[in-house]
């Protein structure tokens, strides 16, 4: 994971990259925030409802309260802006609510953070374009991974769900599958959706899916190569995380201590 983040362009000189488990203040603040949120608020979050619908009664307390830990991850550094995908906007609303509840009870302390979304707000599953692309999807053809081989990527896009109309158009409501292809194509090439559709005029969807696969392969190739290179130097990766943990701890400790004073723990 560390190698992937570095290969994608995260610069540890500018960004603090660390293992959350190495900074105990995340768990400490999470517990305090958990005591301030009501059970129905968490049960109504769509990701909880979606996962428990599949798992029946196997949903754990950890899964239920995970969005509160996410809130702690954000508020612990008094963040003002958080880059998220569309599927996390509801969780960000919980973060905002918790910041406001805390501030109302203990005085203005946490900024109320705002969501930052890119033009590609959500990547949809290749096999079910009504759902998001997820690394935990049991269908191995549904999700493209950065570390996939070119052959695997081609196979996944070839099997991607579209429809029975061969023309390439962008209509997320009535043509989810093809629109997902267009959105992915636009995201990896940096082109607008309109430009992608214009360039694809006269190409049937079967050929178009392979075009998108090629564009994804081209985008991922240097990242995949850099991941393999970074994985060869495990010591470097561990050092990056170690230095990051120290920096994160320096920021998190005084904020967590202040929260403990405000709620009466200290």
């Amino acid at each position: 994971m560390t190698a992937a983040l570095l290969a994608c362009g995260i610069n540890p000189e500018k960004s603090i990259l660390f293992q959350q488990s190495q900074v105990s203040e995340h768990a400490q603040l999470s517990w305090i925030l958990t005591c301030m949120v009501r059970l129905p608020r968490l049960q109504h979050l769509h990701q909880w409802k979606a996962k428990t619908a599949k798992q029946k009664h196997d949903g754990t307390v950890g899964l239920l309260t995970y969005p509160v830990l996410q809130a702690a991850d954000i508020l612990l550094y008094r963040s003002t802006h958080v880059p998220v995908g569309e599927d996390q906007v509801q969780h960000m609303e919980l973060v905002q609510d918790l910041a406001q509840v805390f501030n109302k009870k203990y005085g203005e302390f946490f900024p109320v953070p705002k969501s930052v979304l890119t033009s590609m707000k959500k990547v949809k599953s290749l096999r079910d374009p009504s759902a998001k692309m997820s690394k935990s999807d049991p269908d191995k053809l549904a999700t493209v991974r950065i570390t996939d081989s070119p052959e695997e990527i081609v196979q996944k896009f070839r099997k991607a769900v579209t429809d029975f109309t061969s023309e390439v158009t962008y209509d997320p409501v009535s043509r989810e599958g093809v629109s997902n292809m267009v959105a992915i194509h636009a995201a990896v090439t940096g082109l607008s959706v309109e430009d992608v559709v214009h360039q694809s005029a006269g190409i049937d969807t079967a050929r178009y899916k392979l075009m998108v696969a090629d564009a994804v392969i081209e985008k991922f190739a240097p990242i995949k190569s850099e991941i393999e290179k970074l994985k060869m130097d495990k010591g470097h990766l561990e050092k990056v995380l170690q230095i990051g943990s120290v920096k994160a701890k320096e920021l998190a400790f005084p904020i967590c201590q202040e929260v403990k004073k405000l709620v009466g723990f200290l």
Side-chain angles (χ1 to χ4, degrees):
M1 188 68 227
T2 305
L5 289 170
L6 294 174
C8 284
I10 296 295
N11 183 347
E13 298 298 321
K14 296 181 178 180
S15 303
I16 300 175
L17 185 59
F18 66 102
Q19 283 177 290
Q20 179 202 54
S21 58
Q22 299 304 304
V23 182
S24 61
E25 285 76 10
H26 286 256
Q28 294 173 42
L29 180 57
S30 177
W31 169 248
I32 292 170
L33 296 177
T34 299
C35 295
M36 302 177 69
V37 62
R38 296 186 182 279
L39 185 59
R41 181 72 174 86
L42 299 179
Q43 290 174 321
H44 285 131
L45 293 172
H46 62 77
Q47 289 200 5
W48 165 258
K49 289 196 288 188
K51 289 185 178 181
T52 51
K54 294 179 182 177
Q55 297 176 1
K56 302 298 181 184
H57 300 293
D58 291 334
T60 65
V61 175
L63 178 63
L64 178 69
T65 59
Y66 183 69
V68 185
L69 179 59
Q70 286 183 309
D73 296 341
I74 294 164
L75 297 178
L76 185 58
Y77 301 96
R78 302 179 82 174
S79 307
T80 57
H81 295 78
V82 185
V84 292
E86 192 175 54
D87 59 301
Q88 289 296 322
V89 168
Q90 194 182 48
H91 286 180
M92 276 300 298
E93 290 170 355
L94 175 66
V95 179
Q96 293 160 349
D97 289 348
L98 283 168
Q100 291 168 336
V101 167
F102 187 96
N103 292 345
K104 186 177 180 180
K105 189 167 185 177
Y106 299 107
E108 291 296 321
F109 183 76
F110 290 120
V112 179
K114 297 179 180 178
S115 298
V116 179
L117 288 94
T118 66
S119 56
M120 184 63 167
K121 298 175 184 178
K122 181 190 286 187
V123 184
K124 305 289 185 67
S125 163
L126 297 186
R127 299 295 292 165
D128 177 10
S130 67
K132 73 168 186 173
M133 186 179 285
S134 171
K135 63 182 181 293
S136 58
D137 195 315
D139 187 342
K140 301 302 181 186
L141 295 176
T143 303
V144 180
R145 302 172 185 274
I146 295 174
T147 52
D148 282 346
S149 68
E151 293 76 20
E152 288 172 322
I153 293 173
V154 167
Q155 182 193 26
K156 289 178 179 181
F157 275 94
R158 183 177 281 128
K159 298 281 187 179
V161 171
T162 50
D163 54 32
F164 297 105
T165 304
S166 63
E167 185 183 4
V168 177
T169 61
Y170 186 74
D171 184 352
V173 175
S174 60
R175 301 194 73 197
E176 287 183 311
V178 175
S179 297
N180 188 34
M181 294 295 104
V182 172
I184 292 171
H185 196 182
V188 297
T189 59
L191 297 171
S192 68
V193 165
E194 292 76 17
D195 286 342
V196 166
V197 172
H198 179 71
Q199 289 184 10
S200 306
I203 300 174
D204 63 57
T205 51
R207 282 173 55 208
Y208 180 64
K209 287 194 288 185
L210 296 181
M211 275 182 59
V212 180
D214 287 341
V216 170
I217 291 167
E218 184 178 350
K219 179 71 174 180
F220 284 180
I223 299 173
K224 187 173 182 291
S225 175
E226 185 65 13
I227 289 172
E228 294 305 317
K229 179 181 171 185
L230 287 163
K231 283 168 64 179
M232 298 293 288
D233 191 352
K234 189 177 178 182
H236 170 66
L237 297 177
E238 290 175 344
K239 186 177 180 181
V240 166
L241 293 177
Q242 184 179 19
I243 292 172
S245 294
V246 171
K247 290 180 180 178
K249 186 86 174 180
E250 287 174 354
L251 293 173
F253 179 77
I255 293 174
C256 194
Q257 290 296 99
E258 189 63 32
V259 168
K260 288 178 181 178
K261 289 177 185 177
L262 288 170
V263 302
F265 282 6
L266 296 176

